[in-house]
Amino acid sequence: MNNKEIRTLILEKTKEYYQLKFASEKYSEGDRIPFARRVFDENELVNLVDSSLDFWLTAGRYAEDFEYEFAQFMDVDHCLLVNSGSSANLVAFTTLTSPKLGERRLKKGDEVITVAAGFPTTINPIIQNGLVPVFVDVELSTYNIKVEDLEKALSDKTKAIMIAHTLGNPFDLGAIMEFANKHDLFVVEDCCDAVGSTYNGKKVGTFGHLATVSFYPAHHMTMGEGGAVLTSDDELMKIATSFRDWGRDCYCGPGSDNTCGRRFSMQYGKLPVGYDHKYVYSHIGYNLKVTDMQAAIGMAQLEKLPSFIEKRKENFNKIKKELEKYEDYFILPEATKNSDPSWFGFPITVKENDKFSRNELTLYLEKNMIMTRLLFAGNVTKQPAYLDIECRIIGDLKNTDYIMNNTFFIGVYPGINDEQIAYIAKAFESFFKELA
């Protein structure tokens, strides 16, 4: 057998392995219902093995294809793959500090409007780059920024806004972009929980200067680890690529040389004329690339992404219908006006009452094999790592604190089926019967 024949045989055997190892997994009542989990079939395994047989150990043909296809899906011009959603946030925000942006660049001491109710890595790049986060409260039903407080957060140091679409629910992009345009602010959209969400019929990630997504197994599609920076700005794309790739000025892909055609003819900084462009560094950067094996999995997942998004919406609506009878005790989630969320989870806020607390409910659900998660950091300013950071807080963050004490979410991921939703509904019914 030649190489091609052996490769074909290996891929056929990979399909057989999937059928034996994974295809028979089925839910039985009483099995644990995750809040999130990867959903895949034989195609992900085939792509993964196919890529491994190339033994191309960094980004390659699959990464190139994915970046093009995902940019098309997200309606942006550019997609830059990185090794996680957190790295995507770091690269996207750090891009705005580049000297190549001239007077527009973000500098240490500048302020960035954000929220404390969310995941830390939306905030971390602000702090890591020496800027000052300005924390604004959120709404309880949408869990997104209170746009009426934006003017209170503004100062002569305000230069950017960086916030996430919480659990897939778009923040008020109309108000945010109007405010940003009025005051000439950069906007970074953290879409790590919101792939496929739309606002006024337009995909999130297309409004701001930069956007980010995550491909962690819990998210809308997965590469295992992985993430991406999105933009339609050519200059920001080049800068982001530099920060991802060690800070180098050259934008050649792995294994490529002299893409610019001026590899040995230019002068940079105080380097000698003709210094190899592949070793010129215009930023203090990182190495945050993916492997082609990750991108290979992503290509198979991308084909499923539209169906994943629809299934999340369906599961969200079915769970909401089951829980509406408990609205005396719960604040149930509401989509932001003019939006169609691709939900990451189903958030529930327990109203103040004398019968039960959030913790009592989540412990009951966990005991009954329904996984729960809190709304990430709750109030990040009260987390150990953030107690002494330089920041400004607008108002008392009353709703953020309420979320910290009373909010949790359960899963809506595509692997949850009607049988599992019926079990979730039954568990809530049993909990309230025990209270009576």
Side-chain angles (χ1 to χ4, degrees), residues 9-27:
L9 178 61
I10 290 171
L11 297 182
E12 287 301 320
K13 289 296 182 182
T14 300
K15 294 178 184 178
E16 291 180 25
Y17 178 81
Y18 168 81
Q19 293 298 325
L20 290 170
K21 173 68 175 175
F22 297 108
S24 61
E25 291 183 357
K26 291 183 180 178
Y27 170 76

Side-chain angles (χ1 to χ4, degrees), residues 4 23 29 58 63 103 118 124 182 185 197-198 214 235 243 279 294 332 406:
K4 186 176 179 181
E29 184 169 311
T58 183
E103 290 302 310
N124 290 351
K182 177 181 176 182
L185 308 178
S197 295
T198 61
S214 172
E235 181 182 29
F243 275 112
Y279 291 98
Q294 289 171 272
L332 295 179
N406 298 286

Side-chain angles (χ1 to χ4, degrees), residues 7-307:
R7 189 179 191 120
T8 299
L9 178 61
I10 290 171
L11 297 182
E12 287 301 320
K13 289 296 182 182
T14 300
K15 294 178 184 178
E16 291 180 25
Y17 178 81
Y18 168 81
Q19 293 298 325
L20 290 170
K21 173 68 175 175
F22 297 108
S24 61
E25 291 183 357
K26 291 183 180 178
Y27 170 76
S28 298
E29 184 169 311
D31 289 348
R32 195 164 182 78
I33 302 176
F35 80 95
R37 194 183 187 196
R38 77 278 193 278
V39 176
F40 67 101
D41 60 24
E42 63 185 33
N43 294 318
E44 281 81 355
L45 285 186
V46 168
N47 278 14
L48 176 61
V49 173
D50 183 51
S51 175
S52 72
L53 293 175
D54 290 342
F55 206 61
W56 186 261
L57 300 181
T58 183
R61 62 186 176 98
Y62 275 110
E64 184 177 343
D65 288 346
F66 183 89
E67 286 177 331
Y68 175 80
E69 294 293 341
F70 193 70
Q72 294 290 302
F73 179 85
M74 293 296 290
D75 295 332
V76 294
D77 291 345
H78 305 294
C79 166
L80 180 72
L81 277 174
V82 293
N83 61 357
S84 72
S86 301
S87 293
N89 281 341
L90 178 61
V91 169
F93 188 81
T94 308
T95 292
L96 301 177
T97 70
S98 170
K100 290 180 179 288
L101 297 177
E103 290 302 310
R104 298 170 58 214
R105 68 179 291 202
L106 305 184
K107 301 181 182 70
K108 289 184 178 181
D110 288 343
E111 294 183 348
V112 182
I113 295 172
T114 188
V115 298
F119 201 74
T121 57
T122 310
I123 299 160
N124 290 351
I126 302 170
I127 302 165
Q128 289 160 336
N129 279 284
L131 284 83
V132 179
V134 179
F135 294 110
V136 177
D137 208 358
V138 297
E139 300 170 338
L140 284 178
S141 58
T142 68
Y143 304 95
N144 282 313
I145 189 168
K146 290 175 67 176
V147 293
E148 60 266 32
D149 287 347
L150 285 170
E151 291 290 346
K152 298 176 189 175
L154 186 69
S155 79
D156 58 3
K157 294 183 178 180
T158 307
K159 295 296 189 295
I161 301 171
M162 184 169 180
I163 42 181
H165 301 289
T166 307
L167 295 178
N169 197 13
F171 53 78
D172 187 340
L173 280 154
I176 290 290
M177 295 312 299
E178 181 181 359
F179 179 81
N181 291 333
K182 177 181 176 182
H183 298 288
D184 194 24
L185 308 178
F186 284 115
V187 175
V188 181
E189 294 179 68
D190 182 338
C191 305
C192 289
D193 291 346
V195 172
S197 295
T198 61
Y199 180 88
N200 277 342
K202 185 179 175 183
K203 283 194 175 79
V204 300
T206 60
F207 292 83
H209 297 84
L210 293 148
T212 60
V213 298
S214 172
F215 302 124
Y216 190 70
H219 289 275
H220 285 62
M221 56 164 285
T222 188
M223 295 180 180
E225 299 287 354
V229 177
L230 308 174
T231 186
S232 290
D233 186 303
D234 294 345
E235 181 182 29
L236 294 180
M237 176 62 177
K238 287 182 180 179
I239 295 169
T241 303
S242 175
F243 275 112
R244 183 196 66 177
D245 298 352
W246 306 284
R248 67 180 184 170
D249 199 75
C250 171
Y251 48 86
C252 289
S256 298
D257 294 326
N258 208 22
T259 303
C260 65
R262 299 175 295 173
R263 181 178 172 189
F264 299 108
S265 62
M266 299 296 289
Q267 195 277 324
Y268 300 91
K270 294 183 179 181
L271 294 169
V273 174
Y275 198 84
D276 188 349
H277 191 217
K278 287 182 73 69
Y279 291 98
V280 173
Y281 301 93
S282 52
H283 300 101
I284 298 174
Y286 309 90
N287 178 10
L288 301 174
K289 296 189 295 297
V290 297
T291 68
D292 221 41
M293 289 178 283
Q294 289 171 272
I297 297 168
M299 284 299 291
Q301 286 274 290
L302 188 51
E303 293 181 3
K304 301 177 177 68
L305 184 54
S307 64

Side-chain angles (χ1 to χ4, degrees), residues 237-418:
M237 176 62 177
K238 287 182 180 179
I239 295 169
T241 303
S242 175
F243 275 112
R244 183 196 66 177
D245 298 352
W246 306 284
R248 67 180 184 170
D249 199 75
C250 171
Y251 48 86
C252 289
S256 298
D257 294 326
N258 208 22
T259 303
C260 65
R262 299 175 295 173
R263 181 178 172 189
F264 299 108
S265 62
M266 299 296 289
Q267 195 277 324
Y268 300 91
K270 294 183 179 181
L271 294 169
V273 174
Y275 198 84
D276 188 349
H277 191 217
K278 287 182 73 69
Y279 291 98
V280 173
Y281 301 93
S282 52
H283 300 101
I284 298 174
Y286 309 90
N287 178 10
L288 301 174
K289 296 189 295 297
V290 297
T291 68
D292 221 41
M293 289 178 283
Q294 289 171 272
I297 297 168
M299 284 299 291
Q301 286 274 290
L302 188 51
E303 293 181 3
K304 301 177 177 68
L305 184 54
S307 64
F308 285 170
I309 291 167
E310 289 309 309
K311 184 63 173 174
R312 284 179 176 275
K313 293 178 181 180
E314 289 175 14
N315 285 345
F316 178 92
N317 290 332
K318 288 174 181 176
I319 291 172
K320 187 170 185 178
K321 186 176 180 180
E322 293 289 353
L323 299 186
E324 282 175 343
K325 66 185 78 169
Y326 309 117
E327 285 188 303
D328 286 346
Y329 294 97
F330 296 151
I331 298 173
L332 295 179
E334 295 291 340
T336 302
K337 187 178 179 182
N338 301 321
S339 75
D340 182 14
S342 172
W343 293 96
F344 176 72
F346 190 96
I348 299 167
T349 296
V350 176
K351 294 180 180 178
E352 291 183 3
N353 70 87
D354 59 3
K355 292 184 179 295
F356 68 96
S357 66
R358 175 193 65 191
N359 287 1
E360 288 171 318
L361 175 55
T362 55
L363 284 170
Y364 184 88
L365 294 174
E366 293 280 353
K367 182 181 175 182
N368 284 275
M369 307 303 285
I370 299 167
M371 287 181 70
T372 66
R373 288 293 185 270
L374 303 187
L375 188 46
F376 308 129
N379 182 343
V380 76
T381 68
K382 297 187 176 182
Q383 291 279 350
Y386 301 84
L387 293 178
D388 298 319
I389 64 167
E390 183 182 357
C391 67
R392 283 203 300 122
I393 295 174
I394 306 306
D396 56 8
L397 300 186
K398 179 181 177 181
N399 289 345
T400 300
D401 282 340
Y402 197 87
I403 286 167
M404 177 178 65
N405 289 299
N406 298 286
T407 301
F408 70 99
F409 70 91
I410 59 176
V412 298
Y413 82 100
I416 292 179
N417 57 33
D418 287 348

